[in-house]
Amino acid sequence: MHSPLKTEELQVLRGQYEKEGDFVGVQTKFNYAWGLIKSNNRGEQQEGVRLLSEIYRSAPERRRECLYYLALGNFKLGNYAEARRYNESLLQHEPANMQAASLQSLIDDKVAKEGLVGVAIVSGVAIAAGVIGSLIFKGARRR
């Protein structure tokens, strides 16, 4: 999907973000959030989504830029409904965006696969409950 930045590269973005402190610029915040989203560390991904969400709310002119990475970050975190929502919004603005189309396929595949796993788990629980119920019923009839 997207390979994570090297530790040193992310450290440069973090250093710039921290140096700007309370007066951090939107571009600096975006760059740092982008680096965090690419990480394999769940906590960093969550922080990246949080920062991008702040930009999305506070800087309407930057919303389209944020959409793909908000979709990607939420996808990596397993928030597929949110990922789909952001990605579909991007595709409405940019129907030919190949990255977004590719991400949409990944989201759809993951949702379908997890849906099937959910159905299998529910079915397995129902079968187990039926077997246990029949064993209890047979035991009760013998008395």
Side-chain angles (χ1 to χ4, degrees):
M1 189 176 303
H2 291 273
S3 55
L5 297 179
K6 293 180 181 141
T7 304
E8 307 80 49
E9 294 169 326
L10 186 57
Q11 200 53 47
V12 167
L13 295 175
R14 180 178 290 122
Q16 184 63 37
Y17 175 78
E18 290 171 351
K19 186 173 121 187
E20 292 183 25
D22 291 339
F23 304 102
V24 67
V26 174
Q27 189 62 50
T28 299
K29 187 185 256 190
F30 180 86
N31 292 347
Y32 181 45
W34 167 81
L36 292 169
I37 294 289
K38 291 176 61 104
S39 171
N40 289 329
N41 177 295
R42 186 171 177 81
E44 289 179 346
Q45 293 166 354
Q46 289 170 325
E47 178 67 4
V49 167
R50 188 186 67 74
L51 293 173
L52 283 172
S53 295
E54 288 176 7
I55 296 169
Y56 187 83
R57 284 191 303 276
S58 66
E61 72 281 3
R62 302 296 293 262
R63 284 187 178 155
R64 259 174 63 196
E65 277 179 272
C66 292
L67 286 172
Y68 176 76
Y69 289 103
L70 280 166
L72 180 63
N74 277 289
F75 174 77
K76 290 176 85 172
L77 291 168
N79 304 329
Y80 304 125
E82 283 293 295
R84 177 178 277 146
R85 188 171 64 83
Y86 286 118
N87 203 55
E88 285 175 351
S89 182
L90 176 58
L91 286 168
Q92 283 178 341
H93 295 292
E94 299 176 16
N97 185 317
M98 295 307 290
Q99 268 188 312
S102 175
L103 182 55
Q104 191 66 39
S105 293
L106 289 174
I107 293 167
D108 291 343
D109 290 348
K110 217 34 158 165
V111 167
K113 190 181 295 177
E114 292 211 354
L116 290 175
V117 168
V119 167
I121 289 170
V122 169
S123 298
V125 168
I127 290 169
V131 168
I132 291 169
S134 70
L135 292 174
I136 292 170
F137 184 71
K138 281 181 183 177
R141 273 193 359 207
R142 287 186 185 155
R143 291 185 190 162

